[in-house]
Amino acid sequence: MRALTWQGKQDVRVETVPDPGIVNPRDAIIRITSTAICGSDLHLYDHYIPGMRDGDILGHEFMGEVVDVGGSNKKLKVGQRVVVPFLIACGDCFFCKKQQFSACDNSNPAETTDASEIAYGYPMAAAFGYSHLTGGYSGGQAEYARVPFADVGPIVVPDGIEDDKVLFLSDILPTGWMAADNCDIEPGDVVAVWGCGPVGLFSVQSAFLLGAHRVIAIDHHPRRLELAKQLGAEVIDFEQVNVREALAEMTGGIGPDACIDAVGMESHGMSPDNILDHVKVKTFMATDRIHALRQVILATRKGGRISIPGVYGGMADKFPIGALMEKGLQIKSGQTHVQKYMPQLLDMILDGKIDTTFLISHHLDLEDAAIGYKNFKEKQNEYTKVVLRPGLGQRVAVH
Amino acid sequence: MAERTTHTRGADAPLTAAKNPDARAAGLEAGDDSDELVGRTVSINRSRQELYDFWRDFRNLPLFMENIQSVTMGDGGRSHWVVRGPANSELEWDSEIIEDVPGEVIAWRSVEGAGVKNSGAVEFRDSTNGRGTIVSVTIVYDPPGGALGKAFAKVFRREPRIQARQELRRFKQIMECGELPTAAISPDAILEEA
C-alpha cells in the first residue's frame, strides 16, 4: 500500500510499504477514506519528539471502511464505516473502566513503556503514528491501517454522512470538547481560549455549547481569529494588545472564570532531552516555552479554572506556582479520553448541533501529503486544516 | 537460600522497594551475601482465583516471561525449567513448590543440587473496589560462580527490574485483554522480526 513515512527531520515521503494484516484477535483492518494532518504531527515532522524511526507511518486522525476483523472482535463487521480514536485503549483495565481511556494501562506494548514510565512515573497509553514512546503503532496517513482493540475504539458512523463531518471525532473535536468540559463552566461564565488552531477553535465552539456566556479567543493569525469570530467569540490579537490587561478590562476587572491553554509546548517541550534526561536542566532554562501557560495562570480570575489541552512533554521553567496557589486556581489537563466523548459528539453532529467542516482549508491526495505538511507548517494562516484522501485523484502542482 | 520474606524490617514498604536491593541488606534473615532480590507489584482487573489458576500452570509462564523457553510440570509439585542463555545456550533446573494456597499464593524454589539456586513467589490479594487483584511477585536468586554464573548473570542481571516490570505488564495484558498488544503491522512483520 501507499503510506506517508517519516524519514527524518522535515523529511516525510509517501512510499510503498507492506500491507497491514490482522495480528491479534480483537484487531480490525481499515481502508482509509479520509485522514488529517494534526498540529501535533508537526512536532514529529520537526523531530521534537524522541523515539521516531525511519519509515514510521504517521497519522492519528483517520476514518474509513472496515475490510477485515479479527476472530474475537464481536463489534465490527466488514463494510462498516468507522472513525478511529487517535489513542488506543483496551477497554478492560482500571482506567478504561473509569472512562479514563487516555490512561489505558495495556495498549502500549510492554517493551515500549519504559521511557515514559521513567519520565512520568507511570507509562503512557499507546497512540497511532506517534513515535515508539507511545507504542510505535503505524498511523493512518496511508491506504490501510491495522487498528488494535478495534472492539473498543472505532465508532460506527451511518452511511450517507460525509467524511468531513465526522472525521474530527478522531481527535481534535473531542479534544476541544474535553478542554471546555474541564472548565466546569457555570452560567454567566467568561471563558478565554489561548490559541485558535483546530483544538482552540473547537474549544470555543464547545465552551458555548456547554453554556459559556462569552468566549474570548487569543491568537495572531488573522484567518484563525476570523474563524473564532464566526463561532461567536470575541477576539484578541496578542501582537496588537496586552492580553492580560485586555482580558481584565473586558471582564469588568474580574478576569475570565476559566482559561484554556490550547497552545501547548510549541516546538520545545518534547525534545528528546526534556523527556529522557531530566538532569540536563539547562535545556529547560530558555524562557518563553510556557509563555502562554504563564499568561493563562496570571489572567485567570481568583478561584477560577484552568484547562490544558495543549501538549506538554517535559519540564517547565519559571512556572508561576505562587499565583496558582494564592489565587486558588484549579487545573485540569490530559490527553483526550476520545472513546468517552465520541458517542455524544457523533449524536450532536448528526443532530446538526456541531459542524466542524468550517475548519478544513484543503483536501489533498494522499500522494501530496508531504506538500500538506510543509504548507501546514509554513502557511498557518491559510492552511487551517489539511485532509488527505487516498485516491482523490487531483494532484497539487508543486510550487 | 532464604525463606520467603516480603517486607522491609520494621516498616510497611515492600522489601523490593529497598534502596539497597541486596536481599540480606534489605532484611532477609537467612540470606547469604550474594542473594539478589527482584520484585514488582501490579493491579490486574481480574479475580484472584483466575490469576492464580493461570500462574499455577507454570507452562503458561513463557507466554509473558521472555527468557523462559519452557516449563514442564512433573509429579509432586515439581517442575523443570529451561531458560535461554547467551549464544543459544540453555540453562535448566528443577523447582519444587513450597507454598500453595489456591487464590492466594504460590511459592517455589529450585531443588537441592540445582546449578542455579533461585526461589520465587507470587501473591494475590483483593484490591479495593474496581481495582481487581494486587499481584506481587518476588524472585530471590543466588548467582552461581564460574561460567554458569556468568551465563546466568547475562540472562537475569542485566536489567532485572526492567525485565520484571515488562514481564508483569505482559501478564496483566494477557489476563485483562486476552491478547498481547503489539505494534506489528501484520503477521508477516512478526515473522520477519523473529
Side-chain angles (χ1 to χ4, degrees):
Chain A
M1 67 167 179
R2 301 287 285 167
L4 182 87
T5 61
W6 186 90
Q7 301 289 347
K9 187 176 177 181
Q10 291 175 11
D11 183 5
V12 292
R13 291 175 224 160
V14 176
E15 297 198 323
T16 300
V17 300
D19 287 345
I22 299 286
V23 177
N24 275 333
R26 295 168 61 184
D27 288 355
I29 305 297
I30 311 294
R31 183 182 64 80
I32 291 156
T33 52
S34 290
T35 173
I37 303 175
C38 181
S40 61
D41 284 330
L42 294 181
H43 301 316
L44 302 171
Y45 184 65
D46 289 329
H47 203 190
Y48 285 116
I49 291 179
M52 292 301 294
R53 295 182 196 158
D54 290 359
D56 282 351
I57 301 171
L58 301 186
H60 56 265
E61 299 182 359
F62 60 97
M63 63 176 296
E65 181 193 342
V66 178
V67 292
D68 199 2
V69 288
S72 69
N73 188 326
K74 305 286 177 230
K75 184 186 157 193
L76 293 184
K77 290 179 182 63
V78 169
Q80 284 176 324
R81 287 175 76 214
V82 292
V83 182
V84 180
F86 77 97
L87 278 165
I88 305 170
C90 75
D92 297 301
C93 66
F94 168 70
F95 302 97
C96 286
K97 295 289 184 202
K98 283 180 84 72
Q99 299 230 302
Q100 294 178 327
F101 293 100
S102 72
C104 175
D105 232 355
N106 289 321
S107 55
N108 202 339
E111 56 275 16
T112 47
T113 51
D114 289 323
S116 58
E117 179 155 353
I118 291 163
Y120 301 145
Y122 299 94
M124 282 192 283
F128 289 99
Y130 216 77
S131 91
H132 292 258
L133 287 181
T134 52
Y137 287 92
S138 295
Q141 285 160 7
E143 290 183 285
Y144 295 90
R146 171 189 162 235
V147 178
F149 301 124
D151 50 355
V152 174
I155 190 166
V156 177
V157 296
D159 291 338
I161 186 154
E162 60 213 79
D163 281 15
D164 285 354
K165 288 200 166 163
V166 289
L167 173 62
F168 301 142
L169 286 168
S170 56
D171 177 354
I172 51 176
L173 177 58
T175 298
W177 182 267
M178 185 166 113
D181 194 32
N182 277 345
C183 287
D184 298 323
I185 294 167
E186 296 168 6
D189 270 0
V190 180
V191 177
V193 179
W194 272 252
C196 294
V199 169
L201 291 169
F202 288 159
S203 298
V204 169
Q205 209 174 11
S206 303
F208 278 123
L209 285 162
L210 286 164
H213 181 59
R214 293 165 61 202
V215 179
I216 303 173
I218 303 149
D219 204 299
H220 66 301
H221 293 298
R223 171 78 187 131
R224 293 184 173 198
L225 287 173
E226 181 54 37
L227 289 172
K229 216 171 211 172
Q230 286 169 16
L231 295 170
E234 298 155 59
V235 299
I236 291 176
D237 180 342
F238 67 77
E239 287 188 341
Q240 307 295 322
V241 297
N242 179 325
V243 173
R244 276 169 56 202
E245 205 172 319
L247 285 171
E249 290 299 310
M250 291 163 80
T251 54
I254 287 180
D257 302 279
C259 290
I260 296 174
D261 171 5
V263 176
M265 64 176 174
E266 289 281 60
S267 49
H268 304 91
M270 258 189 150
S271 75
D273 286 346
N274 289 6
I275 279 205
L276 295 175
D277 193 354
H278 292 193
V279 185
K280 290 179 184 168
V281 177
K282 63 177 184 180
T283 58
F284 307 118
M285 294 301 282
T287 50
D288 283 339
R289 295 180 180 178
I290 58 161
H291 183 72
L293 183 56
R294 277 191 210 110
Q295 209 171 55
V296 163
I297 292 170
L298 294 173
T300 308
R301 77 155 163 84
K302 291 179 283 185
R305 288 93 59 189
I306 292 171
S307 165
I308 311 176
V311 176
Y312 290 92
M315 302 278 186
D317 184 38
K318 298 185 180 66
F319 183 80
I321 183 71
L324 179 71
M325 189 275 159
E326 299 295 348
K327 290 202 291 180
L329 305 180
Q330 299 174 40
I331 295 188
K332 286 189 181 177
S333 187
Q335 295 283 359
T336 310
H337 307 306
V338 181
Q339 288 84 342
K340 171 183 173 180
Y341 293 108
M342 269 181 150
Q344 72 193 86
L345 290 171
L346 175 60
D347 285 347
M348 291 171 84
I349 291 169
L350 296 175
D351 290 347
K353 288 180 187 150
I354 299 182
D355 180 14
T356 59
T357 54
F358 71 90
L359 187 67
I360 302 168
S361 57
H362 294 79
H363 289 98
L364 300 180
D365 192 296
L366 175 66
E367 295 292 327
D368 287 327
I371 299 167
Y373 268 78
K374 190 168 189 296
N375 288 341
F376 189 44
K377 176 184 163 56
E378 293 173 3
K379 301 177 183 173
Q380 292 200 355
N381 193 43
E382 301 85 34
Y383 278 71
T384 50
K385 192 71 182 177
V386 178
V387 173
L388 304 170
R389 295 237 166 104
L392 178 68
Q394 304 156 348
R395 299 293 307 276
V396 173
V398 180
H399 305 292
Chain B
M1 205 76 216
E3 289 304 312
R4 193 165 63 82
T5 310
T6 54
H7 283 70
T8 45
R9 194 176 279 155
D12 293 325
L15 198 143
T16 50
K19 284 183 177 170
N20 181 349
D22 175 85
R24 197 179 71 108
L28 282 186
E29 283 160 19
D32 83 39
D33 284 358
S34 61
D35 278 2
E36 299 213 16
L37 174 82
V38 176
R40 177 80 170 176
T41 298
V42 289
S43 290
I44 304 184
N45 211 358
R46 290 287 178 263
S47 72
R48 282 189 288 119
Q49 191 63 41
E50 203 177 332
L51 299 172
Y52 165 92
D53 288 343
F54 191 84
W55 195 295
R56 180 62 182 79
D57 185 351
F58 286 169
R59 291 173 301 183
N60 287 328
L61 300 186
L63 292 174
F64 57 92
M65 293 185 168
E66 240 178 353
N67 291 320
I68 296 179
Q69 197 161 306
S70 67
V71 182
T72 40
M73 305 292 277
D75 295 332
R78 283 226 171 189
S79 51
H80 182 70
W81 300 52
V82 181
V83 168
R84 285 184 197 91
N88 292 325
S89 63
E90 284 177 358
L91 305 171
E92 300 185 37
W93 64 81
D94 284 332
S95 280
E96 61 186 350
I97 286 179
I98 52 174
E99 192 176 356
D100 188 8
V101 183
E104 288 180 25
V105 63
I106 311 164
W108 63 94
R109 71 176 167 208
S110 54
V111 299
E112 211 57 48
V116 181
K117 284 166 71 179
N118 64 90
S119 68
V122 55
E123 285 181 89
F124 308 94
R125 286 173 289 140
D126 286 330
S127 190
T128 49
N129 189 30
R131 287 167 170 80
T133 299
I134 294 171
V135 181
S136 299
V137 175
T138 321
I139 307 274
V140 180
Y141 54 90
D142 178 12
L148 183 61
K150 280 186 187 155
F152 186 83
K154 267 204 165 157
V155 176
F156 282 106
R157 296 177 68 189
R158 201 174 20 143
E159 292 291 351
R161 283 173 181 242
I162 288 178
Q163 201 167 300
R165 71 177 177 225
Q166 290 193 358
E167 287 173 352
L168 266 189
R169 188 162 289 286
R170 288 194 191 94
F171 178 54
K172 175 180 163 74
Q173 288 169 331
I174 290 173
M175 298 312 295
E176 289 187 345
C177 310
E179 61 185 47
L180 265 181
T182 170
I185 196 166
S186 69
D188 295 345
I190 295 178
L191 291 175
E192 275 167 33
E193 258 182 40

